[in-house]
Amino acid sequence: MEIWINPACSKCRSAISLLDAEGAEYTVRRYLEDVPSEDEIRGVLDRLGLEPWDITRTQEAAAKELGLKDWAREDSSRDRWIAALASHPKLIQRPIITADDGSAVVARTDDAVRDVLKKS
């Protein structure tokens, strides 16, 4: 499995600690440094079963500068949202774990991390 993290994020550190405590094998992607492409974001969204606005941190300064709260949340706007996430990776909700079975989860809670571990 892979986990997208920002090391400064307490939820990310908590998820890593739980993965380590459970002896899980995973790779870390520091997505602010190793920025996901638009295609990678689309793939993760498909695995999550979510839309780009569902994983957007709308309180970030970049979100406010872009005026994201006023952007349409519909299929015709999907590519615009994905482009914004790729251009401003800090807007991506974290941590995101992609499991070997093809699923993914926004792992902001211990329960979400445990759910992924059950599938591995």
Side-chain angles (χ1 to χ4, degrees):
M1 75 179 74
E2 181 177 78
I3 182 169
W4 292 8
I5 69 159
N6 172 353
C9 168
S10 63
K11 300 281 187 192
C12 294
R13 293 191 307 270
S14 177
I16 293 281
S17 294
L18 184 53
L19 291 173
D20 288 344
E22 295 293 328
E25 290 187 25
Y26 62 92
T27 56
V28 170
R29 180 171 186 170
R30 294 180 178 213
Y31 71 93
L32 297 179
E33 298 162 15
D34 182 7
V35 178
S37 68
E38 290 183 26
D39 283 342
E40 287 175 304
I41 292 170
R42 280 187 192 88
V44 165
L45 288 167
D46 288 346
R47 292 173 78 169
L48 287 167
L50 297 173
E51 293 296 338
W53 45 85
D54 296 327
I55 66 161
T56 300
R57 298 173 56 85
T58 57
Q59 297 306 310
E60 291 288 336
K64 292 176 181 174
E65 289 170 18
L66 292 169
L68 289 183
K69 70 175 184 154
D70 298 324
W71 287 17
R73 295 177 180 219
E74 54 195 30
D75 281 348
S76 63
S77 299
R78 194 170 198 261
D79 287 342
R80 182 181 187 199
W81 282 85
I82 290 169
L85 293 174
S87 297
H88 306 277
K90 197 169 190 179
L91 296 175
I92 300 172
Q93 190 59 265
R94 60 190 183 247
I96 294 177
I97 298 175
T98 55
D100 295 337
D101 71 352
S103 66
V105 66
V106 178
R108 296 192 54 77
T109 65
D110 287 352
D111 286 343
V113 176
R114 285 188 186 97
D115 285 346
V116 171
L117 289 170
K118 288 177 193 170
K119 296 177 182 180
S120 295

